Amino acid sequence: ETGVTQSPTHLIKTRGQQVTLRCSSQSGHNTVSWYQQALGQGPQFIFQYYREEENGRGNFPPRFSGLQFPNYSSELNVNAWELDDSALYLCASSYVPPYNSPLHFGNGTRLTVT
Amino acid sequence: EDQVTQSPEALRLQEGESSSLNCSYTVSGLRGLFWYRQDPGKGPEFLFTLYSAGEEKEKERLKATLTKKESFLHITAPKPEDSATYLCAVTLTGANSKLTFGKGITLSVRP
């Protein structure tokens, strides 16, 4: 069974740049979620994708956008990174329904914005 | 506003010294409560899901319990390899599986 894989593992960007983070979901899973984890904090929900459509969004501005592909892999796109965006970006997958299935996380992309 | 609070923020134990980690929640419509373990530089690793008050689950030295307002993660005779950050999260009734996390509890177990 292949777990959740994310790329790249580390990224350094300057303010204002655009970047794409990628995620391959665990085999058999049909839902992908993205989370932002600042240092010393719990992960914060960005959004979730189910059947290639956004199915829930947290309190993040529109410059955070995403995609889910037919093979259930996903991308997180951010336009114009800001300093406060420096964090660990986590992707998680699950199979729904039911909606209380545990999420399985990748090891994240560590983003540093300078 | 839905809230998940974990305490203490950090806990240092001697190997073999049992203790409990607390997760209290104030939410409307709890669907499930989850415990995850997170090692430095890694993503959270799923441990348990609890669905209703009175439910208990065990895995090796860990035991999770749930009441109507809080959950406990009991660690019996911990070992240094149990050192990690333990995260509590909840899902609410609704048509997605969004997790609302607490800040986590950093556990250090000294040999």
Side-chain angles (χ1 to χ4, degrees), chain B residues 9 14 33 36 38 40 45-46 50 54 56 64-65 69 71 73 75-76 89 91 94 96 98 100 107-109:
Chain B
E9 289 186 5
Q14 196 69 34
L33 186 140
Y36 283 84
Q38 187 172 27
E45 175 188 352
F46 171 71
L50 302 166
E56 299 182 351
T65 62
K69 293 184 178 181
S71 176
L73 185 64
I75 303 179
T76 302
T91 54
N96 65 56
K98 167 189 171 183
T100 300
L107 174 66
S108 299
V109 182

CSV table of all heavy atoms in Angstrom, one decimal, chain B residues 9 14 33 36 38 40 45-46 50 54 56 64-65 69 71 73 75-76 89 91 94 96 98 100 107-109:
chain,number,residue,atom,x,y,z
B,9,GLU,N,0.9,21.9,27.6
B,9,GLU,CA,1.5,22.2,26.3
B,9,GLU,C,2.7,21.2,26.1
B,9,GLU,O,3.0,20.8,25.0
B,9,GLU,CB,2.0,23.6,26.2
B,9,GLU,CG,0.9,24.6,26.1
B,9,GLU,CD,1.4,26.0,25.9
B,9,GLU,OE1,2.6,26.2,25.7
B,9,GLU,OE2,0.6,26.9,25.9
B,14,GLN,N,9.8,10.5,33.1
B,14,GLN,CA,10.8,9.5,33.2
B,14,GLN,C,10.3,8.2,32.6
B,14,GLN,O,9.1,7.9,32.7
B,14,GLN,CB,11.2,9.3,34.7
B,14,GLN,CG,12.5,8.6,35.0
B,14,GLN,CD,13.7,9.5,34.7
B,14,GLN,OE1,13.7,10.7,34.8
B,14,GLN,NE2,14.8,8.9,34.2
B,33,LEU,N,-13.6,12.1,17.3
B,33,LEU,CA,-12.4,12.7,17.9
B,33,LEU,C,-11.2,11.8,17.5
B,33,LEU,O,-11.3,10.6,17.6
B,33,LEU,CB,-12.6,12.8,19.4
B,33,LEU,CG,-11.4,13.6,20.1
B,33,LEU,CD1,-11.9,14.5,21.2
B,33,LEU,CD2,-10.4,12.6,20.6
B,36,TYR,N,-3.6,11.9,16.9
B,36,TYR,CA,-2.5,11.7,16.0
B,36,TYR,C,-1.1,11.8,16.8
B,36,TYR,O,-1.1,12.6,17.7
B,36,TYR,CB,-2.5,12.7,14.9
B,36,TYR,CG,-3.5,12.4,13.8
B,36,TYR,CD1,-4.8,12.8,13.9
B,36,TYR,CD2,-3.1,11.7,12.6
B,36,TYR,CE1,-5.8,12.6,12.9
B,36,TYR,CE2,-4.1,11.5,11.6
B,36,TYR,CZ,-5.4,11.9,11.8
B,36,TYR,OH,-6.3,11.7,10.8
B,38,GLN,N,2.9,13.0,16.0
B,38,GLN,CA,3.7,13.7,15.0
B,38,GLN,C,5.1,13.8,15.5
B,38,GLN,O,5.4,14.3,16.5
B,38,GLN,CB,3.2,15.1,14.7
B,38,GLN,CG,3.9,15.8,13.5
B,38,GLN,CD,3.3,17.1,13.1
B,38,GLN,OE1,2.7,17.8,13.9
B,38,GLN,NE2,3.5,17.5,11.9
B,40,PRO,N,9.2,15.0,14.8
B,40,PRO,CA,9.8,16.2,14.1
B,40,PRO,C,10.0,16.0,12.7
B,40,PRO,O,10.6,15.0,12.3
B,40,PRO,CB,11.0,16.4,14.9
B,40,PRO,CG,10.8,15.8,16.3
B,40,PRO,CD,9.9,14.6,16.0
B,45,GLU,N,0.7,11.0,12.3
B,45,GLU,CA,0.4,9.6,12.1
B,45,GLU,C,-0.8,9.2,12.9
B,45,GLU,O,-0.9,9.5,14.1
B,45,GLU,CB,1.6,8.8,12.6
B,45,GLU,CG,1.4,7.3,12.5
B,45,GLU,CD,2.5,6.5,13.2
B,45,GLU,OE1,3.5,7.1,13.5
B,45,GLU,OE2,2.4,5.3,13.4
B,46,PHE,N,-1.8,8.7,12.2
B,46,PHE,CA,-3.1,8.3,12.9
B,46,PHE,C,-2.9,7.3,14.0
B,46,PHE,O,-2.2,6.3,13.8
B,46,PHE,CB,-4.1,7.8,11.8
B,46,PHE,CG,-5.3,7.2,12.4
B,46,PHE,CD1,-6.3,8.1,13.0
B,46,PHE,CD2,-5.6,5.9,12.4
B,46,PHE,CE1,-7.5,7.5,13.5
B,46,PHE,CE2,-6.7,5.3,12.9
B,46,PHE,CZ,-7.7,6.2,13.5
B,50,LEU,N,-12.4,8.1,18.1
B,50,LEU,CA,-13.4,7.8,19.1
B,50,LEU,C,-14.7,8.5,18.6
B,50,LEU,O,-14.6,9.6,18.2
B,50,LEU,CB,-13.0,8.3,20.5
B,50,LEU,CG,-11.7,7.7,21.0
B,50,LEU,CD1,-11.2,8.5,22.2
B,50,LEU,CD2,-11.9,6.3,21.5
B,54,GLY,N,-17.8,7.4,26.5
B,54,GLY,CA,-17.7,6.1,27.1
B,54,GLY,C,-16.8,5.1,26.3
B,54,GLY,O,-16.4,4.1,26.7
B,56,GLU,N,-13.5,3.6,24.5
B,56,GLU,CA,-12.1,3.5,24.8
B,56,GLU,C,-11.5,2.6,23.7
B,56,GLU,O,-12.1,1.7,23.1
B,56,GLU,CB,-11.9,2.7,26.1
B,56,GLU,CG,-12.5,3.5,27.3
B,56,GLU,CD,-12.2,2.7,28.6
B,56,GLU,OE1,-11.6,1.6,28.6
B,56,GLU,OE2,-12.5,3.3,29.7
B,64,ALA,N,-6.9,5.6,24.7
B,64,ALA,CA,-7.7,6.8,24.5
B,64,ALA,C,-9.1,6.6,25.0
B,64,ALA,O,-9.7,5.5,24.8
B,64,ALA,CB,-7.7,7.2,23.0
B,65,THR,N,-9.6,7.6,25.7
B,65,THR,CA,-11.0,7.6,26.2
B,65,THR,C,-11.7,8.9,25.8
B,65,THR,O,-11.0,9.9,25.6
B,65,THR,CB,-11.0,7.4,27.8
B,65,THR,OG1,-10.3,8.6,28.4
B,65,THR,CG2,-10.2,6.2,28.2
B,69,LYS,N,-17.2,16.0,27.0
B,69,LYS,CA,-16.5,17.3,26.9
B,69,LYS,C,-15.0,17.1,26.6
B,69,LYS,O,-14.3,18.1,26.3
B,69,LYS,CB,-16.7,18.1,28.2
B,69,LYS,CG,-18.1,18.5,28.4
B,69,LYS,CD,-18.2,19.4,29.6
B,69,LYS,CE,-19.6,19.9,29.9
B,69,LYS,NZ,-19.7,20.8,31.0
B,71,SER,N,-11.3,14.3,26.0
B,71,SER,CA,-10.7,13.0,25.8
B,71,SER,C,-9.4,12.9,26.5
B,71,SER,O,-8.7,14.0,26.6
B,71,SER,CB,-10.5,12.8,24.2
B,71,SER,OG,-9.8,11.6,24.0
B,73,LEU,N,-5.6,10.8,26.6
B,73,LEU,CA,-4.7,9.8,26.1
B,73,LEU,C,-3.8,9.4,27.2
B,73,LEU,O,-2.9,10.1,27.7
B,73,LEU,CB,-3.9,10.4,24.9
B,73,LEU,CG,-3.0,9.4,24.2
B,73,LEU,CD1,-3.8,8.3,23.5
B,73,LEU,CD2,-2.1,10.1,23.2
B,75,ILE,N,-0.8,7.2,28.8
B,75,ILE,CA,0.4,6.5,28.4
B,75,ILE,C,0.9,5.7,29.6
B,75,ILE,O,1.3,6.3,30.6
B,75,ILE,CB,1.4,7.5,27.9
B,75,ILE,CG1,0.8,8.3,26.8
B,75,ILE,CG2,2.7,6.8,27.5
B,75,ILE,CD1,1.8,9.4,26.2
B,76,THR,N,0.9,4.4,29.4
B,76,THR,CA,1.4,3.5,30.5
B,76,THR,C,2.8,3.1,30.3
B,76,THR,O,3.2,2.6,29.2
B,76,THR,CB,0.5,2.3,30.6
B,76,THR,OG1,-0.9,2.7,30.7
B,76,THR,CG2,0.9,1.4,31.7
B,89,ALA,N,-7.8,16.1,17.4
B,89,ALA,CA,-8.6,16.8,16.4
B,89,ALA,C,-10.0,16.2,16.4
B,89,ALA,O,-10.3,15.1,16.8
B,89,ALA,CB,-8.0,16.6,15.0
B,91,THR,N,-13.8,16.1,14.1
B,91,THR,CA,-14.6,16.3,12.9
B,91,THR,C,-16.1,16.6,13.3
B,91,THR,O,-16.5,16.0,14.3
B,91,THR,CB,-14.6,15.2,11.9
B,91,THR,OG1,-15.0,14.0,12.6
B,91,THR,CG2,-13.3,15.0,11.3
B,94,GLY,N,-21.5,17.2,9.0
B,94,GLY,CA,-21.4,18.0,7.8
B,94,GLY,C,-20.9,17.1,6.7
B,94,GLY,O,-20.4,16.0,6.9
B,96,ASN,N,-18.2,17.1,4.9
B,96,ASN,CA,-16.8,16.9,4.6
B,96,ASN,C,-16.0,16.4,5.8
B,96,ASN,O,-16.6,16.3,6.9
B,96,ASN,CB,-16.1,18.2,4.0
B,96,ASN,CG,-16.1,19.3,5.1
B,96,ASN,OD1,-15.5,19.1,6.2
B,96,ASN,ND2,-16.7,20.4,4.8
B,98,LYS,N,-13.3,17.6,7.3
B,98,LYS,CA,-12.4,18.7,7.9
B,98,LYS,C,-12.1,18.3,9.3
B,98,LYS,O,-12.9,18.1,10.2
B,98,LYS,CB,-13.1,20.0,7.8
B,98,LYS,CG,-12.4,21.1,8.7
B,98,LYS,CD,-13.2,22.4,8.7
B,98,LYS,CE,-12.6,23.4,9.7
B,98,LYS,NZ,-13.5,24.5,9.9
B,100,THR,N,-10.5,19.8,12.9
B,100,THR,CA,-10.1,20.9,13.7
B,100,THR,C,-9.2,20.4,14.8
B,100,THR,O,-9.6,19.6,15.6
B,100,THR,CB,-11.3,21.6,14.3
B,100,THR,OG1,-12.2,22.0,13.2
B,100,THR,CG2,-10.9,22.8,15.1
B,107,LEU,N,5.6,15.6,24.2
B,107,LEU,CA,6.0,14.6,25.2
B,107,LEU,C,7.4,14.3,25.1
B,107,LEU,O,7.9,13.9,24.0
B,107,LEU,CB,5.1,13.4,25.1
B,107,LEU,CG,5.5,12.2,26.1
B,107,LEU,CD1,5.2,12.6,27.5
B,107,LEU,CD2,4.7,11.0,25.7
B,108,SER,N,8.2,14.4,26.2
B,108,SER,CA,9.6,13.9,26.2
B,108,SER,C,9.7,12.9,27.3
B,108,SER,O,9.3,13.1,28.4
B,108,SER,CB,10.5,15.1,26.5
B,108,SER,OG,10.4,16.1,25.5
B,109,VAL,N,10.2,11.7,26.9
B,109,VAL,CA,10.4,10.6,27.9
B,109,VAL,C,11.9,10.4,28.0
B,109,VAL,O,12.6,10.0,27.1
B,109,VAL,CB,9.7,9.3,27.4
B,109,VAL,CG1,9.9,8.2,28.4
B,109,VAL,CG2,8.2,9.6,27.1
